[in-house]
Amino acid sequence: MIKTKLNPLINPILIGKVGKPYGILGWINIFSFLEKQEKIFNYFPCFFLKEETWTKIHLDNWKKYKKNFIIHIKGVFDRSEVMQMTNSDIIINSHQLPILKKNEYYWFQIIQLKVFNINKIYLGKVIDLIRTKSNDILIIKNELKNYKKNILIPFIYDKIIKKIDINNNIIIVEWNLIRTT
């Protein structure tokens, strides 16, 4: 394991979290934030980040355990060593992600984009997304004075989402707010 206080990554992406130790032989629980959770292992070696310390991690082994995974880190054979890693973030560099097809986006690319409707009215910034069975939903931090709550917009490309321009940080939507008094 290599530890450093400096950020070794150019565009860090959070892909999981480290849980508590499992057993006494250096295994530890991890939680994947990926849509297909098992794909987290495609990104090892990766970094664990805790309290501004970056640790490069190489795996010896991993297993599915309940709804998550347990891993064994190369060179670690003691519960007390992995206990120090509990609550670390699992980080990769964005260039490690697969290249997407046209009109496909990673959530981290969408968050913080400014949202305008087709009438050029600024609605706010994307603060999160929700996955549902039928489609994803944009959560917009509302910037309108007359409307106090967050705006939820279905992510249905062409029908509601008219344009996503990552380079200019904007999303154009066909969406009008109905005022209620």
Side-chain angles (χ1 to χ4, degrees), residues 128-132 135-139 151-155:
D128 206 353
L129 289 103
I130 300 171
R131 168 144 290 129
T132 67
N135 54 268
D136 295 340
I137 297 172
L138 296 172
I139 302 175
I151 304 166
L152 304 178
I153 299 177
F155 195 100

Side-chain angles (χ1 to χ4, degrees), residues 18-23 27-31 70 79 82-83 86-87:
V18 180
K20 63 183 180 180
Y22 175 85
W27 289 79
I28 194 162
N29 287 278
I30 65 165
F31 306 93
I70 56 171
R79 179 182 176 92
V82 292
M83 192 176 290
T86 296
N87 295 324

Side-chain angles (χ1 to χ4, degrees), residues 36-73:
K36 294 180 181 166
Q37 292 186 342
E38 202 166 286
K39 291 209 177 228
I40 195 169
F41 299 106
N42 294 348
Y43 301 107
F44 278 83
C46 65
F47 288 89
F48 285 4
L49 173 62
K50 184 174 181 181
E51 298 170 0
E52 298 182 25
T53 299
W54 296 80
T55 306
K56 190 167 188 178
I57 301 296
H58 294 271
L59 290 186
D60 269 344
N61 203 352
W62 66 271
K63 298 176 188 176
K64 181 87 172 139
Y65 179 70
K66 297 184 180 177
K67 292 184 179 180
N68 295 296
F69 303 98
I70 56 171
I71 62 170
H72 190 268
I73 299 166

Side-chain angles (χ1 to χ4, degrees), residues 30-156:
I30 65 165
F31 306 93
S32 173
F33 297 159
L34 302 178
E35 183 175 2
K36 294 180 181 166
Q37 292 186 342
E38 202 166 286
K39 291 209 177 228
I40 195 169
F41 299 106
N42 294 348
Y43 301 107
F44 278 83
C46 65
F47 288 89
F48 285 4
L49 173 62
K50 184 174 181 181
E51 298 170 0
E52 298 182 25
T53 299
W54 296 80
T55 306
K56 190 167 188 178
I57 301 296
H58 294 271
L59 290 186
D60 269 344
N61 203 352
W62 66 271
K63 298 176 188 176
K64 181 87 172 139
Y65 179 70
K66 297 184 180 177
K67 292 184 179 180
N68 295 296
F69 303 98
I70 56 171
I71 62 170
H72 190 268
I73 299 166
K74 193 174 190 175
V76 177
F77 301 99
D78 184 83
R79 179 182 176 92
S80 61
E81 250 186 285
V82 292
M83 192 176 290
Q84 296 171 25
M85 297 176 191
T86 296
N87 295 324
S88 294
D89 291 329
I90 302 172
I91 308 285
I92 63 168
N93 212 336
S94 64
H95 78 273
Q96 291 176 261
L97 296 171
I99 296 172
L100 298 175
K101 297 174 189 168
K102 184 179 179 183
N103 297 331
E104 290 184 339
Y105 305 94
Y106 289 110
W107 282 16
F108 75 88
Q109 293 175 304
I110 302 288
I111 293 174
Q112 292 302 310
L113 293 186
K114 295 177 182 176
V115 180
F116 294 86
N117 71 10
I118 56 174
N119 299 320
K120 299 181 182 175
I121 297 171
Y122 178 60
L123 302 176
K125 284 186 180 179
V126 178
I127 57 171
D128 206 353
L129 289 103
I130 300 171
R131 168 144 290 129
T132 67
K133 288 183 181 180
S134 55
N135 54 268
D136 295 340
I137 297 172
L138 296 172
I139 302 175
I140 314 298
K141 182 173 183 356
N142 181 11
E143 302 286 336
L144 301 171
K145 293 179 179 130
N146 299 344
Y147 196 78
K148 302 293 181 205
K149 297 181 181 179
N150 287 338
I151 304 166
L152 304 178
I153 299 177
F155 195 100
I156 302 172

